[in-house]
Each structure stands twice: as structure tokens, then as C-alpha cells.
Amino acid sequence: MGSPGALAGWGLLDYKTEKYVMTRNWRVGVLQRLLQLGVVVYVVGWALIVKKGYQEQDLDPQISVITKLKGVSVTQIKELGTRLWDVADFVKPAQGENVFFLVTNFLVTPEQVQGRCPESPRALPWHCVPPAVPELGALDSGVRPLCRQNRVCHPSIPLANCWAHEDCPEGETGTHSHGLEFVLCFQGIKTGQCVVFNGTHRTCEIRGWCPVESSTVPVKPLLLQAKNFTLFIKNTVTFSKFNFSKSNALETWDNTYFKWCRYDPLSSPFCPVFRIGDLVAAAGGDFEDLALLGGSVGIRVLWDCDLDAGGSDCRPHYSFQLQERSYNFRTATHWWEASGVEARSLLKLYGIRFDILVTGRAGKFGIIPTTITLGTGAAWLGVITFFCDLLLLYVDGESHFYWTTKYEEAKAPKVTSNPEQTEPASAPPHLAAQVP
């Protein structure tokens, strides 16, 4: 085992204490003050005031969203005649939640039954260019349209148009794609027959719901009046950490307030009733263009609550974003004919999907986050002092002088047992001359 003397030789038993040395190095002094000023501005200005580092945070509120859409529209089309559309018809699902769909356009295929019928002609892909309007006799003779670069379209390309039976492989069905150029979905199962669709087209015969759905989209939205519909969003947030709840429905004594108020970012930013046309415009879209083929709009509700003020300024802030420019789906109504045959009426619905996203945070003063923020600032001040010491001791041109001045070895005087050796050193000067 090592003796205390050996440990002392290694300096393990030495005690070090701080020694403050005042240096006249203005460069390091200016740098230190600038860094200290930056830390103070960061801690006080950013961490405490802007980011509210003195508050405890609740970033995961419990959220409840209820939506109600109001409006009435009338359409006049051949398949349905004159029809009145109300909330039960143009809102899917009927029970309003944070995601719902507003119908603005549709295609109707009435009285479909299961059987065999020609598929509807589809647009050819960009690389296939058929002759102008080939005669049926020419089609029967096996003439194929020429592709770009004089290549013949391969008969296995899954198009509805055909020129011979071999263009319609029996049993082919589903969604098909040719690279990234087109995506095509057949409405049934091919029977292997190429039949006449009309005077200018021949298509593959399918087994499915007949007649097949038309691919003609109306030039204008059938439910264009939907831009004047109103959307009411009722949102409640609960910050369970602070036992605090708030609703976006303003407390008012006027019972008619929600009937006439409309959201406006400047004049009425806290009204929870939105006009659909204004909402789409705020998201950066044109309602008529979006209503034709559908789309998706995001509604974000942000809660930023400072509970130190009692929650009086805890109010929602709304923002809107256009997410998609095309959206549709199909739905059908089924019934049984008197003959015992199942029939249906098919609707392809175009419209606007609304996604409501609610986020929030609440903060309240707490001693623990305040201590952590101030402690972090104090630690940064210590780092600055350490950094400036490194510059003086290792980088500055007079680092050797600063080193010897800062670090000084202090030793206690040695005491021996012989008083004659210690007395001259300890005797006063006027007595030292009397010593023989």
C-alpha cells in the first residue's frame, strides 16, 4: 500500500482553492461581457418571456369536436329529375365529427342490374393514337392503332377499347396501370368478347352491374350553391393537468348571435360559424374549381392558453390549408325488383373533404421550471468564464505570464527540533545582533 507521502507526491492530497486575478486584457474582457450579455438576453428575453420557461406545460389536451352543416340545394338532371338536397343528402357521414365530406357534384347511374354488357370506352394512354374514326369493318379486319415511333399497341394493354376478341382476355379484372401513364379500373370481369358499344367504338364485354357507369363529368358543379352553406364547429379542449376546460363557442347573452355571425379573420376572428366559399378561399382554392372534381381542405384550430391570467385570453386561432385538388367516392342504394332481381342506383360523388385538426398547449407558473431555466442560465455564465480562462492561459500571447500568476504554489514553512536553527529566523531584528 502507498504511504501518504507517495500520494502527496502525486498531488492527490493537495487542496486547490480559487484565486482571482485581475487582468488588463481588454480583448478578453470585451468578449466576456458580450457573451454574458447574450446569455442574459437569451434567458430573460427568449427562455423566460417568449417561451415562458417559468411555466409548467400541458401539451396533450383532451379534444371534442362537433360539426354542423346547414344549407339546401336543388338539382335538375335527366336521371333524377328535379331533386332537393339537404344535409342528410350532401354531408357524409351524417353525424358531424372532425372529418366529413360535402357533396358538390355527382354522376348517377340509375337502375343497374347484374348481367353482361359492353364496358364504357376509356381514354387511350398518351402513347397510343388510333386512326381518326375507323370503320367497324376495318376493326373487324384486325387493324390496330399505331403507337408513337410506329410501334403497335400490345393487345394485353388493359384498355376497354378493343379491335378483336384477343384484346379482351377472359377473366381480366381489377385496377391496371401502364407505368405511370394511366390507371384504369374495369367495372366488371371480361368475358373474352369484343362487342359493339356504339357507332364509333367497340369495347370489351364484361360481366357486372349494367349499364356501366358513365365517364362524362358535368361541366359545372351540380351543387354550386354549396358555397353559401354554413359550417358550425364546436370545439372543447380540456387540460387535465390544470383541471381547465374551454369551448370555442363564445359566451353571450344574445341567443341569435350564432345565426348571423360569420367568421372573419379581422372583424370576427372568434365566430365558430364559417361560410364554405370563404373557407375554401382562405385555404387558397377556388370553390367552383374545387367543387367540380372534389378536393380536400384542412382546418387547424390552435389553442395557446396562459392560465396565469385566469384563462381569459384562452381562445382558438384558425388556419386553413388546401390539401388535395381531387376527391371522390361511390355509393349505391340497393332494392329488389318485383321479378326478384336485385337492382341498385349508383352515385359517384365529388366533393370537398374537411379535416379538422385541433392542437393546444396551456401553461401556468411553476417553481420547478423557473429554477431549471435560471439554473441553465447560471451554468452558461460559468461556461463563459471557463472559456475566457482557456483563451488567457493557452491562446493569448502572454499566456505564460497569466499561467504563473494564476497558479501559485503555496508551502508552509518547515519547523525543526533545533531551536538554534529556527531562532535566527524567528528572532526580531534588534535581538539578532546580541546572539554570540
Side-chain angles (χ1 to χ4, degrees):
M1 297 179 64
S3 62
L7 294 176
W10 286 94
L12 298 179
L13 300 181
D14 294 343
Y15 173 74
K16 296 179 180 179
T17 184
E18 292 185 0
K19 178 180 180 180
Y20 294 95
V21 179
M22 183 68 68
T23 62
R24 300 297 180 182
N25 191 319
W26 67 269
R27 293 185 298 272
V28 177
V30 170
L31 177 62
Q32 182 189 32
R33 296 295 179 249
L34 290 177
L35 292 177
Q36 289 175 341
L37 179 62
V39 169
V40 171
V41 171
Y42 168 77
V43 173
V44 177
W46 176 258
L48 287 177
I49 298 178
V50 177
K51 302 301 290 184
K52 298 182 180 179
Y54 58 89
Q55 290 184 334
E56 294 183 14
Q57 303 285 331
D58 188 351
L59 305 177
D60 188 21
Q62 300 175 9
I63 297 168
S64 172
V65 178
I66 298 176
T67 58
K68 291 184 179 180
L69 200 65
K70 291 185 178 180
V72 177
S73 182
V74 177
T75 60
Q76 292 182 349
I77 59 174
K78 180 180 65 174
E79 293 83 357
L80 297 178
T82 301
R83 177 175 176 179
L84 178 70
W85 293 69
D86 59 12
V87 177
D89 298 315
F90 57 68
V91 178
K92 309 292 181 182
Q95 178 64 36
E97 297 178 355
N98 60 335
V99 177
F100 66 93
F101 178 80
L102 170 62
V103 179
T104 57
N105 202 7
F106 61 90
L107 293 175
V108 58
T109 308
E111 299 180 354
Q112 286 185 314
V113 295
Q114 294 193 26
R116 296 163 65 108
C117 55
E119 174 63 282
S120 175
R122 301 283 179 169
L124 295 175
W126 64 270
H127 63 282
C128 286
V129 184
V133 180
E135 300 295 335
L136 295 180
L139 292 175
D140 292 335
S141 63
V143 176
R144 301 287 194 274
L146 296 179
C147 296
R148 299 266 177 106
Q149 299 179 356
N150 296 325
R151 292 176 297 174
V152 178
C153 294
H154 195 277
S156 64
I157 294 178
L159 297 174
N161 297 270
C162 63
W163 291 268
H165 296 321
E166 58 265 25
D167 294 335
C168 305
E170 184 177 0
E172 190 175 65
T173 182
T175 302
H176 304 271
S177 64
H178 190 270
L180 297 177
E181 297 165 7
F182 70 94
V183 176
L184 182 64
C185 181
F186 286 102
Q187 302 183 58
I189 302 174
K190 290 183 179 180
T191 63
Q193 302 294 316
C194 180
V195 298
V196 176
F197 180 81
N198 55 28
T200 58
H201 290 82
R202 299 187 69 177
T203 60
C204 295
E205 185 185 57
I206 63 169
R207 183 182 294 109
W209 289 96
C210 300
V212 295
E213 178 188 85
S214 173
S215 59
T216 303
V217 181
V219 178
K220 290 186 177 182
L222 297 176
L223 296 173
L224 189 59
Q225 299 92 333
K227 66 181 179 181
N228 295 317
F229 293 174
T230 58
L231 169 65
F232 173 68
I233 301 177
K234 185 176 182 180
N235 170 220
T236 302
V237 292
T238 301
F239 297 97
S240 55
K241 186 174 183 179
F242 305 117
N243 194 25
F244 177 82
S245 296
K246 192 67 179 287
S247 173
N248 68 330
L250 299 179
E251 298 179 1
T252 176
W253 296 100
D254 187 358
N255 296 329
T256 63
Y257 173 74
F258 295 109
K259 294 182 179 180
W260 58 261
C261 91
R262 297 293 180 269
Y263 171 82
D264 184 271
L266 298 178
S267 62
S268 186
F270 303 118
C271 175
V273 181
F274 304 82
R275 180 178 173 271
I276 295 298
D278 297 337
L279 195 153
V280 173
D286 180 83
F287 179 82
E288 186 169 348
D289 293 340
L290 207 62
L292 183 62
L293 297 178
S296 178
V297 172
I299 304 174
R300 184 184 180 190
V301 185
L302 174 63
W303 294 83
D304 190 0
C305 302
D306 184 359
L307 301 186
D308 290 329
S312 58
D313 64 338
C314 184
R315 294 177 178 177
H317 300 275
Y318 302 95
S319 59
F320 314 94
Q321 182 181 8
L322 182 60
Q323 299 173 335
E324 283 289 341
R325 291 187 176 274
S326 178
Y327 192 87
N328 65 79
F329 67 92
R330 291 172 175 83
T331 183
T333 302
H334 293 255
W335 69 89
W336 290 92
E337 299 283 359
S339 59
V341 177
E342 183 183 10
R344 74 176 188 179
S345 180
L346 178 66
L347 282 174
K348 183 177 182 181
L349 303 177
Y350 297 88
I352 305 174
R353 171 192 168 110
F354 292 94
D355 298 285
I356 303 175
L357 174 65
V358 182
T359 58
R361 60 164 294 278
K364 194 174 185 179
F365 175 80
I367 189 64
I368 294 178
T370 303
T371 304
I372 292 175
T373 302
L374 295 178
T376 302
W380 275 110
L381 292 176
V383 170
I384 291 173
T385 301
F386 177 74
F387 175 72
C388 292
D389 282 350
L390 293 180
L391 293 180
L392 282 175
L393 299 177
Y394 297 100
V395 179
D396 193 87
E398 300 178 0
S399 59
H400 178 71
F401 168 75
Y402 293 121
W403 180 276
T404 56
T405 304
K406 179 176 176 62
Y407 295 101
E408 180 180 353
E409 183 177 358
K411 296 182 179 180
K414 295 183 179 180
V415 180
T416 62
S417 60
N418 188 355
E420 295 182 352
Q421 296 180 359
T422 59
E423 184 177 350
S426 60
H430 67 278
L431 298 177
Q434 300 178 8
V435 179

